Amino acid sequence: MHRISCQTCPMQKCALFTPHSEEQKEFLEDFKSGELSVEPGTQILLEGSSAPQIYTVLEGMGLRDKTLENGRRQVLNFVLPGDFLGLQASVMGEMMHSIEAVTEMRLCVFRREDLWTLFRTQPALAYDVTWIAAAEEHFLGETVATLGQRDGTERVAWALLKLYQRLRGLGLEKAGQVPLPFRQQDLADALGLSLVHTNKTLSRLRSDDMADWSDGKLSVPDIQALAELAVTDPEALPRRPFL
Amino acid sequence: MHRISCQTCPMQKCALFTPHSEEQKEFLEDFKSGELSVEPGTQILLEGSSAPQIYTVLEGMGLRDKTLENGRRQVLNFVLPGDFLGLQASVMGEMMHSIEAVTEMRLCVFRREDLWTLFRTQPALAYDVTWIAAAEEHFLGETVATLGQRDGTERVAWALLKLYQRLRGLGLEKAGQVPLPFRQQDLADALGLSLVHTNKTLSRLRSDDMADWSDGKLSVPDIQALAELAVTDPEALPRRPFL
DNA sequence: CGGGCCCTTGAGTGTCCTCAAGTTATGTGG
DNA sequence: CCACATAACTTGAGGACACTCAAGGGCCCG
């Protein structure tokens, strides 16, 4: 495995992300301390530890989760390419959730101490980091509203819609299908539903032609209809910065 | 009402907040564009609007909430003194939730356009802004875990504990009580529970001597016991930056 | 004194949970 | 090549936690 230059980073090409200036690419080239490839099941960041690294996901998917004292697990978000990992640990000193690889993943690695240099010398990139944190906060706010106010069917519909939109934005759609290599248990833990109920809800959505998630692939025949079921707007995702 | 200088800002004295350097205080003095006092019930920031301002809460309390297309309301967080409001609108262009004053409030007002100047000239303060965003993200993550994995009693206990800790950190405890001027409906909407169920749960906690919230005041006889009920650590809050 | 707003309490219902069993696909070792 | 084990997905049955509906009480204010 060889190192990819930021100059030719595949992320740059994806229309979802705002491109960097020449100067920024040069800085990031330095900022990047290496690459990391991990197998499915690997814990990338651990709850309670103070990770010395920050990552940007280049390829593969994972899960952000948090386990309570009583052992129950909450999935906070699904980790997709372009996601920025470890900022919490960097600014606050400690991760409060874990990140686990679900598929094989390739990560761009940054050194935590260099983040301060970024803030001193690259205000525009610092602003981007804040943008990313605010966007994450915004998404978690939507999740809170979902768990608090939507019933089971609406939750599942909402989650599938969001994932479909995100994956499509990344250009991963092929023949009307996007890859979604998670387990039903993961979705259940993300939505605060039992596995059994999640399974039955998914079956219903499938037979109602609202959304079909099977064999690790998701297809949505009618986005508008699914969005209505999810009590949400089917708005496309905005362009966003990345590192 | 007269303007308070950042030099003598009451926030500076609260042990919960990390103090600013002299240079930072001078910058903030300029950054601050004024003060705002609002009556209970006032909408400070509106969902879907692009507010031109950012605020720091000096006094009073409020609510951050979000309403779904079907009309149901989710309270995202309780707004307390020291909180930083409007960052999402500033970096992302639009608020995705509203903020409403519950008591009379006094706010420190910043101009949105000046945020960029802050990032260019005050990297340490920019870092603080990111810290705040990350902390907010962290808290919302805990909330997601609460709504997803805790039952009714645990949720109420968790919320009361968090609020008690925050208010105590602000030095608002008097004779074993902290002020909590919200309605039961607000707590219900924050926890995804019905008003009726929230009410019954609060009664139970009261008669079990776990937590007593009545007449707008909250007291917690045994923090440790409440924390156990809430399936959480009764850890004190860390020091945090503010603007 | 009437009307709101908030808190309180009781009764009946339903969504979602747990328990349990069975199917399919994949992999491992004899 | 087949017995066995494991992991994920399915499906059915019964129960519980939390919901809605409904009504009443305390308080403040016009």
Side-chain angles (χ1 to χ4, degrees), chain A residues 101-113:
Chain A
V102 164
T103 68
E104 202 173 313
M105 290 182 81
R106 210 154 52 83
L107 305 159
C108 187
V109 185
F110 307 112
R111 261 183 305 271
R112 183 178 160 174
E113 7 8 319

PDB file of all heavy atoms in Angstrom, chain A residues 101-113:
ATOM      1  N   ALA A 101     -14.545  -0.198  12.656  1.00  0.00           N
ATOM      2  CA  ALA A 101     -14.639  -0.452  11.213  1.00  0.00           C
ATOM      3  C   ALA A 101     -15.622  -1.593  10.966  1.00  0.00           C
ATOM      4  O   ALA A 101     -15.591  -2.605  11.655  1.00  0.00           O
ATOM      5  CB  ALA A 101     -13.270  -0.803  10.652  1.00  0.00           C
ATOM      6  N   VAL A 102     -16.488  -1.413  10.008  1.00  0.00           N
ATOM      7  CA  VAL A 102     -17.449  -2.459   9.651  1.00  0.00           C
ATOM      8  C   VAL A 102     -16.979  -3.180   8.388  1.00  0.00           C
ATOM      9  O   VAL A 102     -17.080  -4.393   8.284  1.00  0.00           O
ATOM     10  CB  VAL A 102     -18.861  -1.865   9.449  1.00  0.00           C
ATOM     11  CG1 VAL A 102     -19.766  -2.836   8.713  1.00  0.00           C
ATOM     12  CG2 VAL A 102     -19.467  -1.504  10.799  1.00  0.00           C
ATOM     13  N   THR A 103     -16.469  -2.424   7.447  1.00  0.00           N
ATOM     14  CA  THR A 103     -15.814  -3.022   6.280  1.00  0.00           C
ATOM     15  C   THR A 103     -14.323  -2.755   6.443  1.00  0.00           C
ATOM     16  O   THR A 103     -13.907  -2.123   7.399  1.00  0.00           O
ATOM     17  CB  THR A 103     -16.271  -2.353   4.978  1.00  0.00           C
ATOM     18  OG1 THR A 103     -15.769  -1.014   4.961  1.00  0.00           O
ATOM     19  CG2 THR A 103     -17.777  -2.317   4.870  1.00  0.00           C
ATOM     20  N   GLU A 104     -13.548  -3.204   5.494  1.00  0.00           N
ATOM     21  CA  GLU A 104     -12.167  -2.776   5.443  1.00  0.00           C
ATOM     22  C   GLU A 104     -12.177  -1.254   5.251  1.00  0.00           C
ATOM     23  O   GLU A 104     -13.039  -0.729   4.535  1.00  0.00           O
ATOM     24  CB  GLU A 104     -11.494  -3.448   4.237  1.00  0.00           C
ATOM     25  CG  GLU A 104     -10.002  -3.529   4.323  1.00  0.00           C
ATOM     26  CD  GLU A 104      -9.444  -4.352   3.173  1.00  0.00           C
ATOM     27  OE1 GLU A 104      -9.975  -5.449   2.889  1.00  0.00           O
ATOM     28  OE2 GLU A 104      -8.478  -3.888   2.556  1.00  0.00           O
ATOM     29  N   MET A 105     -11.248  -0.555   5.903  1.00  0.00           N
ATOM     30  CA  MET A 105     -11.246   0.910   5.765  1.00  0.00           C
ATOM     31  C   MET A 105      -9.837   1.427   5.494  1.00  0.00           C
ATOM     32  O   MET A 105      -8.862   0.852   5.960  1.00  0.00           O
ATOM     33  CB  MET A 105     -11.760   1.574   7.051  1.00  0.00           C
ATOM     34  CG  MET A 105     -13.233   1.384   7.316  1.00  0.00           C
ATOM     35  SD  MET A 105     -13.762   2.242   8.829  1.00  0.00           S
ATOM     36  CE  MET A 105     -13.952   3.918   8.250  1.00  0.00           C
ATOM     37  N   ARG A 106      -9.795   2.537   4.765  1.00  0.00           N
ATOM     38  CA  ARG A 106      -8.525   3.215   4.573  1.00  0.00           C
ATOM     39  C   ARG A 106      -8.677   4.631   5.121  1.00  0.00           C
ATOM     40  O   ARG A 106      -9.625   5.336   4.779  1.00  0.00           O
ATOM     41  CB  ARG A 106      -8.144   3.254   3.091  1.00  0.00           C
ATOM     42  CG  ARG A 106      -6.648   3.260   2.843  1.00  0.00           C
ATOM     43  CD  ARG A 106      -6.317   2.670   1.474  1.00  0.00           C
ATOM     44  NE  ARG A 106      -7.100   3.327   0.450  1.00  0.00           N
ATOM     45  CZ  ARG A 106      -6.756   4.500  -0.110  1.00  0.00           C
ATOM     46  NH1 ARG A 106      -5.638   5.093   0.241  1.00  0.00           N
ATOM     47  NH2 ARG A 106      -7.519   5.031  -1.020  1.00  0.00           N
ATOM     48  N   LEU A 107      -7.757   5.026   5.991  1.00  0.00           N
ATOM     49  CA  LEU A 107      -7.869   6.306   6.677  1.00  0.00           C
ATOM     50  C   LEU A 107      -6.656   7.176   6.435  1.00  0.00           C
ATOM     51  O   LEU A 107      -5.527   6.687   6.344  1.00  0.00           O
ATOM     52  CB  LEU A 107      -7.998   6.078   8.192  1.00  0.00           C
ATOM     53  CG  LEU A 107      -9.128   5.160   8.641  1.00  0.00           C
ATOM     54  CD1 LEU A 107      -8.854   4.612  10.027  1.00  0.00           C
ATOM     55  CD2 LEU A 107     -10.446   5.898   8.625  1.00  0.00           C
ATOM     56  N   CYS A 108      -6.903   8.464   6.349  1.00  0.00           N
ATOM     57  CA  CYS A 108      -5.833   9.447   6.257  1.00  0.00           C
ATOM     58  C   CYS A 108      -5.545   9.891   7.690  1.00  0.00           C
ATOM     59  O   CYS A 108      -6.446  10.287   8.416  1.00  0.00           O
ATOM     60  CB  CYS A 108      -6.354  10.616   5.413  1.00  0.00           C
ATOM     61  SG  CYS A 108      -5.147  11.847   5.017  1.00  0.00           S
ATOM     62  N   VAL A 109      -4.292   9.815   8.102  1.00  0.00           N
ATOM     63  CA  VAL A 109      -3.950  10.067   9.507  1.00  0.00           C
ATOM     64  C   VAL A 109      -3.289  11.429   9.711  1.00  0.00           C
ATOM     65  O   VAL A 109      -2.362  11.783   8.986  1.00  0.00           O
ATOM     66  CB  VAL A 109      -2.984   8.976  10.015  1.00  0.00           C
ATOM     67  CG1 VAL A 109      -2.712   9.153  11.498  1.00  0.00           C
ATOM     68  CG2 VAL A 109      -3.526   7.591   9.716  1.00  0.00           C
ATOM     69  N   PHE A 110      -3.771  12.161  10.705  1.00  0.00           N
ATOM     70  CA  PHE A 110      -3.146  13.429  11.083  1.00  0.00           C
ATOM     71  C   PHE A 110      -2.673  13.351  12.522  1.00  0.00           C
ATOM     72  O   PHE A 110      -3.228  12.611  13.320  1.00  0.00           O
ATOM     73  CB  PHE A 110      -4.139  14.588  10.942  1.00  0.00           C
ATOM     74  CG  PHE A 110      -4.787  14.675   9.597  1.00  0.00           C
ATOM     75  CD1 PHE A 110      -6.140  14.413   9.453  1.00  0.00           C
ATOM     76  CD2 PHE A 110      -4.048  15.000   8.478  1.00  0.00           C
ATOM     77  CE1 PHE A 110      -6.746  14.489   8.210  1.00  0.00           C
ATOM     78  CE2 PHE A 110      -4.648  15.084   7.224  1.00  0.00           C
ATOM     79  CZ  PHE A 110      -6.001  14.827   7.087  1.00  0.00           C
ATOM     80  N   ARG A 111      -1.660  14.136  12.843  1.00  0.00           N
ATOM     81  CA  ARG A 111      -1.189  14.170  14.221  1.00  0.00           C
ATOM     82  C   ARG A 111      -1.982  15.212  14.991  1.00  0.00           C
ATOM     83  O   ARG A 111      -2.152  16.351  14.553  1.00  0.00           O
ATOM     84  CB  ARG A 111       0.296  14.533  14.270  1.00  0.00           C
ATOM     85  CG  ARG A 111       1.244  13.359  14.423  1.00  0.00           C
ATOM     86  CD  ARG A 111       2.663  13.848  14.530  1.00  0.00           C
ATOM     87  NE  ARG A 111       3.008  14.694  13.393  1.00  0.00           N
ATOM     88  CZ  ARG A 111       3.506  14.231  12.249  1.00  0.00           C
ATOM     89  NH1 ARG A 111       3.744  12.950  12.098  1.00  0.00           N
ATOM     90  NH2 ARG A 111       3.777  15.065  11.273  1.00  0.00           N
ATOM     91  N   ARG A 112      -2.391  14.799  16.163  1.00  0.00           N
ATOM     92  CA  ARG A 112      -3.196  15.666  16.997  1.00  0.00           C
ATOM     93  C   ARG A 112      -2.508  16.986  17.332  1.00  0.00           C
ATOM     94  O   ARG A 112      -3.126  18.038  17.334  1.00  0.00           O
ATOM     95  CB  ARG A 112      -3.503  14.888  18.264  1.00  0.00           C
ATOM     96  CG  ARG A 112      -4.364  15.579  19.222  1.00  0.00           C
ATOM     97  CD  ARG A 112      -4.595  14.632  20.384  1.00  0.00           C
ATOM     98  NE  ARG A 112      -5.022  15.382  21.533  1.00  0.00           N
ATOM     99  CZ  ARG A 112      -5.404  14.842  22.662  1.00  0.00           C
ATOM    100  NH1 ARG A 112      -5.391  13.532  22.774  1.00  0.00           N
ATOM    101  NH2 ARG A 112      -5.796  15.578  23.665  1.00  0.00           N
ATOM    102  N   GLU A 113      -1.194  16.911  17.621  1.00  0.00           N
ATOM    103  CA  GLU A 113      -0.550  18.171  18.009  1.00  0.00           C
ATOM    104  C   GLU A 113      -0.497  19.182  16.867  1.00  0.00           C
ATOM    105  O   GLU A 113      -0.436  20.379  17.098  1.00  0.00           O
ATOM    106  CB  GLU A 113       0.835  18.060  18.562  1.00  0.00           C
ATOM    107  CG  GLU A 113       1.720  16.922  18.661  1.00  0.00           C
ATOM    108  CD  GLU A 113       1.609  15.566  18.132  1.00  0.00           C
ATOM    109  OE1 GLU A 113       0.524  14.965  18.166  1.00  0.00           O
ATOM    110  OE2 GLU A 113       2.652  15.078  17.720  1.00  0.00           O
TER     111      GLU A 113
END
